[in-house]
Amino acid sequence: MNILENTYTLNNGTTIPLIGFGTWQIPNGEAAYEATSLALKNGYRHIDTALVYGNEKSVGQAIKDSGIAREAIFLTTKLPAEIKTYEGALEAFETSMANLGTDYVDLYLIHAPWPWSDRGSDHTEGNILAWKALEAIYATGRAKAIGVSNFDVKSLEAIIKAGTVVPAVNQIKFYIGNTQDEITQFCQNNDVLIEAYSPLASGAILGEPHVQAIAEKYGKTVAQVSIRYTIQKGTVTLPKSTHEEYIIQNADIDFVLKNEDMAYLDGLQDLVDF
Ligand code: A2P
């Protein structure tokens, strides 16, 4: 079976393809339309966007024009990190739905526990209000699953304690050398699936000699080893590219990294940053 057809089952029973197409940093318009269309053409059935990426309209249009049934595509979008009120969250969801031109999303996430301008600040109360709004949306069926992104243990614990629905996923920055073990372990213990964004460290890992050596051993590219690594760590992975050649290559990862090589890669902490 093509790896693009492989799925995990979320804690609410929904299935999610384990490779998703990331669209962060792809501008709205021709670029996002073209990239999303290429991903769908080449078998990707899971697309990840966000209101704040500004490209929902083009992503939605590409999905429509693909001719692929909406039900055959897993679509994620996100509530802007700055919105920490119940009403604000409901409004932002409507904006995303209008942008995407769809009746439902498969996954709706709180983009971050704090505004980007004030990383690390405490918004427990606001996150709980936003989460209640996501639960209300989930109850209508217009989001088939709900979750969070960039959450640390403390902010995720607060949501789990205050809510009635346990987040289905936590989407975090995750790549070789940046495996965020504390939050990853916590999520695994609580049946919250980790989604790895920037599995190539936004491109920073591509010239890294330690990973290059492993790639040569397998006759694969650094990108393929890096993406395969995130899958073998049990995450959903969200590589992004605007080039068809890379889009194809990034899903051509039907090989297995041996345990000893996984252990070696696990040991390469703080390899690259971006
Ligand atoms: P581009 O978008 O120009 O194709 P991440 O998935 O960690 O966010 O990394 C995305 C970055 O890595 C983008 O700059 C993208 O370039 C680049 N990239 C994605 N796939 C590959 C690949 N297979 N080979 C080389 N560069 C890649």
Side-chain angles (χ1 to χ4, degrees):
M1 186 160 92
N2 183 330
I3 199 159
L4 287 166
E5 292 168 26
N6 286 7
T7 57
Y8 288 119
T9 301
L10 298 175
N11 63 15
N12 70 347
T14 304
T15 55
I16 180 170
L18 62 88
I19 299 179
F21 184 67
T23 64
W24 180 38
Q25 293 173 330
I26 309 184
N28 198 47
E30 193 54 29
Y33 180 82
E34 191 61 23
T36 306
S37 301
L38 286 172
L40 291 169
K41 176 187 149 203
N42 286 291
Y44 288 66
R45 290 294 178 268
H46 173 179
I47 311 287
D48 184 277
T49 183
L51 183 55
V52 79
Y53 298 170
N55 60 18
E56 285 177 320
K57 282 190 180 159
S58 302
V59 167
Q61 196 59 46
I63 289 174
K64 277 202 180 139
D65 293 351
S66 71
I68 299 162
R70 172 67 188 87
E71 305 73 52
I73 297 172
F74 190 100
L75 177 61
T76 300
T77 196
K78 310 184 191 84
L79 171 70
E82 293 71 24
I83 299 175
K84 299 295 180 201
T85 62
Y86 184 89
E87 286 303 326
L90 294 183
E91 262 174 50
F93 181 74
E94 295 306 332
T95 305
S96 284
M97 298 298 272
N99 284 342
L100 291 163
T102 184
D103 297 335
Y104 71 95
V105 289
D106 295 276
L107 183 61
Y108 194 49
L109 307 179
I110 298 180
H111 206 141
W114 19 251
W116 295 105
S117 58
D118 197 11
R119 276 168 175 265
S121 54
D122 181 25
H123 296 268
T124 304
E125 222 172 287
N127 284 327
I128 291 170
L129 291 174
W131 188 248
K132 296 275 175 206
L134 265 64
E135 288 183 335
I137 293 164
Y138 176 58
T140 68
R142 293 171 78 209
K144 303 294 178 201
I146 52 176
V148 297
S149 182
N150 296 296
F151 272 49
D152 57 12
V153 171
K154 186 167 160 276
S155 25
L156 186 50
E157 254 172 343
I159 294 280
I160 292 174
K161 191 157 160 260
T164 55
V165 178
V166 175
V169 314
N170 185 16
Q171 182 179 127
I172 60 173
K173 194 197 270 190
F174 188 104
Y175 53 85
I176 296 167
N178 182 46
T179 46
Q180 303 207 45
D181 295 336
E182 193 195 358
I183 183 63
T184 298
Q185 193 61 55
F186 179 82
C187 286
Q188 279 164 357
N189 292 344
N190 286 278
D191 203 12
V192 179
L193 186 66
I194 294 283
E195 293 190 318
Y197 75 75
S198 301
L200 309 179
S202 213
I205 208 157
L206 294 166
E208 208 294 316
H210 298 82
V211 188
Q212 182 68 51
I214 298 287
E216 275 163 23
K217 193 165 142 185
Y218 286 84
K220 302 288 173 189
T221 67
V222 169
Q224 288 171 316
V225 166
S226 301
I227 296 164
R228 182 71 212 180
Y229 173 83
T230 57
I231 288 179
Q232 287 185 223
K233 294 299 280 182
T235 72
V236 158
T237 189
L238 303 168
K240 168 246 157 183
S241 173
T242 50
H243 296 91
E244 186 165 28
E245 178 198 343
Y246 295 160
I247 289 171
I248 294 168
Q249 183 194 111
N250 293 349
D252 181 15
I253 50 171
D254 199 6
F255 66 102
V256 179
L257 291 164
K258 291 196 186 114
N259 288 345
E260 71 221 46
D261 294 320
M262 285 298 290
Y264 172 75
L265 294 169
D266 283 343
L268 299 176
Q269 285 305 307
D270 303 320
L271 199 58
V272 293
D273 202 5
F274 72 96

